[in-house]
Amino acid sequence: MSAVPEQRRSWFADADFELALVQLERERPQSLWRAARERLRRRASVRWSLRFLIGLCLLSFLAPLLPLPSPAAINLANATLPPQLPWPAPGALDFEPQYWELGPLDAQMVSLRTSLFGKWRTGHWLGTDALGRDVLARVVWGSRTSLLVALCAALTSLVIGASWGALAGLSGGRVDNVLMRIVDVLFAVPTIFLVIFLLSVLDAPGAGEARLSREQIFFLVVGAVSWLSMARVVRGQVLELERSAFVEAARAAGASTPWILTRHILPNVLGLVVVNLTLTLPSVILYEAFLSFLGLGVEPPRVSWGLLAAEGAEALNPLESYAWLVLAPGCAMAATLLALSTLGDGLRDALSVTERHER
Amino acid sequence: MNAPLCEVRELEVRFAARRRALFEPRRWLQAVRGVNLRIERGAVLGLVGESGCGKSTLARAVVGLQRPSSGSILIDGVERASARGKQLRELRRRVGIVFQDPYASLDPRQPIREAVLEPLSINGFAKPRTRRLRVLAAFEAVGLAANLYHRYPHELSGGQRQRVAIARALVLEPELLVCDEPTSALDLSVRAQIVNLLADLRQRFGMALLFISHDLAVVRKLVDEVAVMYAGRVVEQAPRDALFDAPQHPYTRALLSAIVTPHEGERRERIVLAGEPPSPLDPPSGCAFHPRCPARADVPGERCASELPMLSALDARRLRACHLDPTL
Amino acid sequence: MSRFLLRRALWFVVTTWAVITIAFFVLRAAPGGPFSGERKLHPSVEAALRAQYHLDWPLWKQYLHTLGPLNLDERGLFGDASDVFGGLLALDFGPSMQHRDVSVNDALAQSLPISITLGSLALGIALVLGLGAALLSAQFPGSRFDRLVRLAAAAGLVLPNFVIASLLVLVFAFWIPIAPVAGWGAPRHVLLPALALALPFAAYIARLARAGLLETLSKDYIRTARAKGASESAILWRHALRGALTPVVSYLGPAAAGVLTGSLVIERIFAIPGAGTHFVASALNRDYTMAMGVTVVYAVMVFGFNTAVDVAYTLLDPRLDLEREA
């Protein structure tokens, strides 16, 4: 082998560019993410969706702190009150802290609420159900289940789905084949049947004390079926990126796989993952509603939107429709899903502008 | 010390083709079938042929993106496939590549300064500050305005992007730059600019080029020597003028007859080839070109269909693989 | 094409096997059995029942017996050979574990036609409504009707089907009583459930088809047709519809699976004695054989429908090559 010339003279007179570099580095370049955020902010529908979702999250997290009536307090004297307009003055002073078993944080918040507001509570703004429970309080508390399910599904599709897809796309060959065939089979199996199986079966009586709570099982199962499409999408994108000329160029320059992963594949997949996430959340929330309707979701006295809507649907009768019992949770769900899909569409448009090829 | 800068020896590259049926024997798609090439320091070798003839695979093998099935690639006497560690890094520095499609070869999420900086960072070249200076120097060398420094690929034109791709290949000061159809995705007007730029860079830095194209007009402007590939093999190789003035292989003649040469006044008879380029899955027997060859009738017997013509010297500088009588 | 179908058939076998196996082991791994209900059975009775359903066999034997196609019990090849074939592969789903005098086959034979009628009707309604709305709104994009369609489609997508069903019941059964609330038998019984089942899918189809139509209408060949003087409706029906149909057809596979899922809810709301009702009941009661039977039948239906959709897809768009598809 011929030795590398000891002191090769550089082709470039690097020092000539000191001044230019200093000037250029004084500029604050626009990053793609920032540009996307600005594009996003320019759309009124996206702004409103975002505000709504943030508000909803706050409302649902702070539910125990708000001066709402208790969602579980039964008062047959007040059964099936319709919503009233104008809203009755929030004057009632009969709040009783009746809840199901709350977590420590929620219990803290409830005691803080009683010390803040005492027995004072808001009126039955959205009416009451057949047992006299306040619909507004139930809808607000019910949002917690829906959002938690959404969060859980988001986490699994992020953790399992994205890494499953990335692993398949990156390793290729036999590993890819096996991983994706598993996804294919799970896709072909009508998952709802498996879910119903799992839910009813894992929750069997006589399963002993150590078993998971119904709710935990529910979250596990919903999470377990919601990562499939994410795995597919991520794998497709990773495969495409792996074959792309810019990754080849980096390879030719000697880039290692971790380098390519962090510098090229991750940034390019991230946007897609975010968009996919916002667009799959609506279907997960619907899924929760569906399972709750069948009696496989959360158990009374706990509440979820699906459960509330199911109760409302069952209360329908030709004499007295009690329409608000269906409409209140239905509208809450519809507004949330609409906001999520608007946000998802907006994100997709905002993030894809930079990748448009002018061909 | 007299080893050529790059030497390709009996290179073969094949891919396993997808089986159509479960019990079908594995079929091989042979993209490159025994190619020998030499590129001297500072020389420009053009490689021409129809799409699918294996020229891009050859390019990828030369820069190490494609492992040879057999044969070897020597860079300055060092075997590419067996180089490791520091030696491999040095090889990568010495051989750069520019891809065909400037839209695909730049990461849409990476500012172009990062794209040009990347090879330097990967190879741990100098100090970070010097690297950034080097990026600007490379910008200047390829004629990119410094104010594009912070831009993203989607903000640039096709020609500008290809300049970025060239700058990215240039920062490591390669001795051999492999250009895989660098102009074919560009508009005609931009094409000339990029060809001129490559010619300038070659003049200025004295690097060698392996210039791959199916555009003979572009090849003629830039190269010293031309190798013509057909179905994975080199069928003719000659210095540029010899090849363009007196092509020896019927396939080269057909290729040349298709280009318009207004400034030369001469009118060649247009040779239109019948049929499609052969499938690399099952190329014709004998000379792969024989089913389409207009001169086949001039070779006695069925030699073309049965016997593979070897690439052999016609004179001191010309090689040809054809059964046709050289005196014809 | 034949190769595609062959591959599909192979894939079908694998999927069905996977469904059976997963379902079998999930059910068996579950705590509690079909006889561990609220009513505590006498141990000897329970043992007899367990023996009757072969729950006392080793797991592998139960599995093979469930899978078929050979009977492993005393009537099978190793017994008196009076009934050699059995198990799922022989299309014998066995007796129901909850209703001991009914075989799963009989229950399915009764309930499945009902579910299929409901499901296909819903798909038909979804297609007609969705495509109709899309055609009209694409003909007058930006019009009041177009906006109405888009709004309705958005609403249909964000409301769960039982809320839609409740609203339909509210309006068409209570306020304007033109349809019965529940039951099955007369044609008028089908109206509301099929509509409730169809609406979310109609909304999605309308959205897909509208986008497809608008995109096709902006293509060059449509402009050429216009330049030739073709009438606007001829362009829409003859040229654009085809382009808009492809995404809709490819959506039909998922839609069919969705209709099956949705029918679980709809059948319950309208008290329809379909397979979905059986399924939910069987899963809740741990009626192994019934749950297995419905699952396998539904999986097969989804698979068959998807294959049909793929074939239809290539007929619409000849550029797609099924042979290439993995």
Side-chain angles (χ1 to χ4, degrees):
Chain A
M1 182 211 157
S2 67
V4 183
E6 286 303 304
Q7 272 296 315
R8 226 167 12 87
R9 250 197 62 208
S10 172
W11 291 358
F12 303 101
D14 299 332
D16 295 356
F17 297 92
E18 286 280 2
L19 194 65
L21 185 65
V22 168
Q23 272 175 356
L24 283 170
E25 295 198 330
R26 212 172 287 152
E27 291 174 23
R28 279 210 63 198
Q30 174 96 338
S31 92
L32 280 187
W33 288 104
R34 189 144 17 109
R37 209 166 63 203
E38 244 146 64
R39 267 195 298 276
L40 206 57
R41 214 178 275 159
R42 239 174 279 147
R43 281 166 79 157
S45 60
V46 172
R47 275 203 314 269
W48 281 108
S49 301
L50 207 60
R51 269 175 220 165
F52 174 82
L53 289 173
I54 292 173
L56 181 71
C57 288
L58 280 178
L59 198 66
S60 110
F61 178 71
L62 296 178
L65 210 55
L66 303 174
L68 292 166
S70 153
I74 294 171
N75 179 0
L76 290 177
N78 277 343
T80 56
L81 290 177
Q84 286 164 311
L85 273 179
W87 284 343
L93 285 170
D94 57 352
F95 172 75
E96 282 301 327
Q98 285 183 34
Y99 296 93
W100 45 89
E101 247 178 78
L102 293 176
L105 182 62
D106 288 346
Q108 282 287 315
M109 283 205 270
V110 167
S111 63
L112 186 60
R113 177 230 189 272
T114 21
S115 58
L116 272 179
F117 300 105
K119 287 202 168 298
W120 186 81
R121 63 157 176 84
T122 56
H124 296 303
W125 290 346
L126 288 184
T128 58
D129 69 1
L131 296 177
R133 293 174 293 197
D134 183 67
V135 172
L136 176 64
R138 286 170 76 72
V139 168
V140 170
W141 278 81
S143 70
R144 304 182 120 210
T145 312
S146 293
L147 292 184
L148 216 57
V149 167
L151 190 74
C152 176
L155 277 179
T156 41
S157 55
L158 209 63
V159 174
I160 305 181
S163 38
W164 190 285
L167 187 68
L170 285 175
S171 26
R174 202 155 289 166
V175 177
D176 178 31
N177 232 331
V178 170
L179 290 181
M180 289 333 278
R181 283 301 96 96
I182 292 174
V183 170
D184 283 347
V185 168
L186 288 178
F187 247 117
V189 175
T191 42
I192 185 63
F193 298 107
L194 278 185
V195 167
I196 292 178
F197 264 161
L198 287 174
L199 280 174
S200 59
V201 145
L202 292 176
D203 189 38
E209 283 303 303
R211 73 194 170 101
L212 295 167
S213 80
R214 175 78 162 270
E215 226 145 292
Q216 284 165 321
I217 296 170
F218 178 71
F219 289 132
L220 271 180
V221 166
V222 172
V225 297
S226 57
W227 57 272
L228 295 174
S229 73
M230 180 66 94
R232 273 196 177 171
V233 168
V234 169
R235 175 203 174 244
Q237 179 81 354
V238 167
L239 269 188
E240 201 187 312
L241 291 170
E242 271 277 285
R243 291 189 197 126
S244 69
F246 59 82
V247 167
E248 295 250 278
R251 279 255 150 79
S256 62
T257 301
W259 177 286
I260 286 172
L261 209 58
T262 51
R263 307 293 168 110
H264 294 290
I265 297 202
L266 210 60
N268 277 290
V269 170
L270 209 59
L272 190 79
V273 168
V274 170
V275 170
N276 198 283
L277 218 52
T278 37
L279 293 180
T280 51
L281 290 187
S283 65
V284 175
I285 292 178
L286 280 178
Y287 213 63
E288 181 276 328
F290 169 78
L291 290 173
S292 292
F293 180 85
L294 291 181
L296 292 163
V298 295
E299 275 168 308
R302 288 165 196 266
V303 282
S304 80
W305 286 345
L307 200 66
L308 289 176
E311 281 175 9
E314 262 155 39
L316 284 184
N317 70 67
L319 297 177
E320 184 75 63
S321 67
Y322 306 135
W324 67 91
L325 291 182
V326 181
L327 285 177
C331 288
M333 201 179 303
T336 310
L337 300 192
L338 202 61
L340 273 172
S341 62
T342 309
L343 182 66
D345 286 343
L347 274 174
R348 185 177 48 204
D349 293 348
L351 290 174
S352 69
V353 173
T354 51
E355 278 148 28
R356 199 200 298 135
H357 288 189
E358 298 117 72
R359 263 195 283 193
Chain B
M1 219 49 199
N2 273 340
L5 176 62
C6 172
E7 189 174 6
V8 176
R9 278 193 199 152
E10 289 300 329
L11 181 74
E12 299 208 4
V13 180
R14 52 178 178 266
F15 306 98
R18 182 186 276 266
R19 269 181 261 205
R20 283 175 306 184
L22 194 59
F23 300 108
E24 192 187 48
R26 188 171 272 294
R27 300 191 310 161
W28 295 97
L29 187 155
Q30 188 139 17
V32 181
R33 319 170 160 255
V35 167
N36 289 291
L37 287 174
R38 286 163 72 95
I39 304 170
E40 302 294 341
R41 264 160 240 284
V44 181
L45 176 65
L47 195 58
V48 300
E50 286 164 299
S51 49
C53 72
K55 50 195 197 319
S56 283
T57 309
L58 183 85
R60 290 167 47 85
V62 169
V63 294
L65 287 171
Q66 179 66 54
R67 186 175 288 277
S69 305
S70 70
S72 57
I73 290 157
L74 306 172
I75 307 292
D76 207 0
V78 181
E79 160 95 49
R80 170 129 230 168
S82 55
R84 293 283 176 275
K86 206 175 163 204
Q87 210 174 28
L88 182 63
R89 207 173 315 144
E90 183 59 16
L91 278 189
R92 286 193 183 122
R93 185 196 67 69
R94 296 172 78 166
V95 184
I97 183 165
V98 176
F99 289 101
Q100 170 178 4
D101 184 354
Y103 291 90
S105 68
L106 296 175
D107 186 341
R109 304 217 138 256
Q110 200 179 34
I112 57 172
R113 70 183 136 87
E114 292 292 332
V116 179
L117 187 70
E118 193 173 8
L120 296 170
S121 321
I122 290 172
N123 290 289
F125 169 88
K127 276 178 277 182
R129 170 103 192 144
T130 321
R131 287 182 208 159
R132 296 203 295 275
L133 289 172
R134 172 65 52 89
V135 170
L136 277 178
F139 268 38
E140 187 263 348
V142 297
L144 276 174
N147 61 15
L148 298 176
Y149 187 71
H150 291 301
R151 297 290 172 83
Y152 284 87
H154 71 269
E155 298 169 296
L156 306 187
S157 70
Q160 284 173 324
R161 290 185 199 208
Q162 199 57 296
R163 284 173 199 266
V164 175
I166 294 171
R168 174 175 62 188
L170 225 51
V171 282
L172 290 175
E173 306 178 12
E175 284 153 59
L176 172 64
L177 187 61
V178 178
C179 304
D180 186 3
E181 309 215 23
T183 58
S184 57
L186 301 174
D187 291 345
L188 265 177
S189 54
V190 184
R191 229 175 254 196
Q193 293 173 15
I194 296 295
V195 171
N196 288 339
L197 171 66
L198 285 170
D200 286 350
L201 292 173
R202 183 214 169 187
Q203 280 285 311
R204 181 167 160 193
F205 301 127
M207 63 189 169
L209 294 181
L210 174 57
F211 189 87
I212 295 170
S213 180
H214 57 251
D215 186 343
L216 286 160
V218 169
V219 170
R220 185 167 200 174
K221 262 185 115 168
L222 201 62
V223 308
D224 306 324
E225 197 175 11
V226 186
V228 180
M229 271 184 88
Y230 189 82
R233 287 198 170 86
V234 173
V235 293
E236 181 169 3
Q237 187 174 351
R240 177 185 61 181
D241 292 338
L243 187 115
F244 278 89
D245 294 344
Q248 294 300 311
H249 195 284
Y251 177 61
T252 317
R253 281 180 206 154
L255 278 184
L256 287 180
S257 78
I259 58 169
V260 195
T261 50
H263 52 283
E264 302 209 353
E266 60 181 302
R267 275 192 66 83
R268 287 205 188 89
E269 198 186 336
R270 176 87 200 256
I271 307 168
V272 180
L273 288 179
E276 296 282 312
S279 152
L281 270 173
D282 50 341
S285 60
C287 172
F289 186 55
H290 84 261
R292 300 168 78 194
C293 184
R296 188 184 165 192
D298 299 337
V299 178
E302 280 301 295
R303 225 178 137 203
C304 290
S306 57
E307 190 188 327
L308 178 69
M310 300 312 290
L311 189 66
S312 51
L314 278 181
D315 54 43
R317 307 195 55 197
R318 287 197 263 198
L319 298 166
R320 185 188 75 157
C322 184
H323 294 308
L324 209 59
D325 186 348
T327 53
L328 272 174
Chain C
M1 185 61 95
S2 64
R3 187 177 296 141
F4 164 77
L5 288 178
L6 202 77
R7 184 178 296 152
R8 263 308 166 93
L10 199 79
W11 198 216
F12 167 69
V13 171
V14 172
T15 314
T16 316
W17 170 80
V19 170
I20 293 172
T21 308
I22 295 174
F24 178 87
F25 284 105
V26 164
L27 276 174
R28 292 306 194 281
F35 315 119
S36 62
E38 300 88 61
R39 196 158 42 91
K40 196 76 193 132
L41 293 168
H42 190 271
S44 64
V45 177
E46 193 181 330
L49 278 173
R50 290 180 65 83
Q52 191 191 333
Y53 291 102
H54 310 306
L55 295 176
D56 51 345
W57 285 2
L59 206 57
W60 64 266
K61 201 172 170 190
Q62 284 187 46
Y63 176 67
L64 288 182
H65 183 69
T66 309
L67 191 64
L70 288 178
N71 249 333
L72 297 181
D73 61 13
E74 59 284 350
R75 289 172 299 128
L77 209 50
F78 309 108
D80 61 6
S82 62
D83 192 2
V84 176
F85 295 105
L88 296 177
L89 293 185
L91 295 181
D92 175 8
F93 298 110
S96 162
M97 287 190 178
Q98 284 295 326
H99 312 280
R100 275 150 222 163
D101 43 350
V102 184
S103 82
V104 175
N105 286 49
D106 289 343
L108 283 177
Q110 270 188 13
S111 60
L112 212 53
I114 297 176
S115 293
I116 290 177
T117 311
L118 181 63
S120 41
L121 209 63
L123 265 188
I125 292 176
L127 266 179
V128 170
L129 269 183
L131 283 179
L135 273 170
L136 279 175
S137 79
Q139 201 151 20
F140 312 104
S143 68
R144 200 168 293 170
F145 180 78
D146 182 32
R147 266 181 292 170
L148 188 71
V149 165
R150 276 157 61 192
L151 193 74
L157 286 177
V158 296
L159 284 174
N161 54 3
F162 54 86
V163 171
I164 293 178
S166 318
L167 295 180
L168 285 177
V169 167
L170 212 60
V171 175
F172 292 111
F174 297 159
W175 294 348
I176 323 166
I178 52 171
V181 183
W184 190 258
R188 66 204 168 89
H189 280 127
V190 195
L191 184 69
L192 283 189
L195 201 60
L197 196 49
L199 280 178
F201 302 99
Y204 201 80
I205 289 173
R207 210 173 172 180
L208 274 180
R210 182 181 172 278
L213 276 173
L214 288 181
E215 199 201 318
T216 330
L217 283 175
S218 68
K219 290 259 167 70
D220 282 345
Y221 66 90
I222 298 289
R223 223 173 297 154
T224 314
R226 274 211 184 108
K228 280 194 311 189
S231 78
E232 210 50 34
S233 65
I235 286 172
L236 204 61
W237 286 95
R238 210 168 302 146
H239 300 282
L241 191 58
R242 189 174 247 255
L245 227 47
T246 24
V248 172
V249 167
S250 68
Y251 171 65
L252 281 182
V259 163
L260 278 186
T261 313
S263 70
L264 300 186
V265 165
I266 298 297
E267 285 180 10
R268 184 165 157 162
I269 292 182
F270 293 96
I272 296 167
T277 312
H278 275 298
F279 174 71
V280 175
S282 64
L284 291 174
N285 299 331
R286 246 161 305 276
D287 185 344
Y288 290 171
T289 42
M290 178 72 84
M292 181 74 88
V294 182
T295 306
V296 170
V297 166
Y298 272 18
V300 168
M301 288 201 315
V302 169
F303 200 93
F305 201 81
N306 272 326
T307 308
V309 163
D310 283 344
V311 171
Y313 200 56
T314 37
L315 295 183
L316 269 175
D317 193 346
R319 281 170 306 175
L320 285 166
D321 184 3
L322 287 179
E323 306 277 319
R324 289 242 180 124
E325 192 219 31

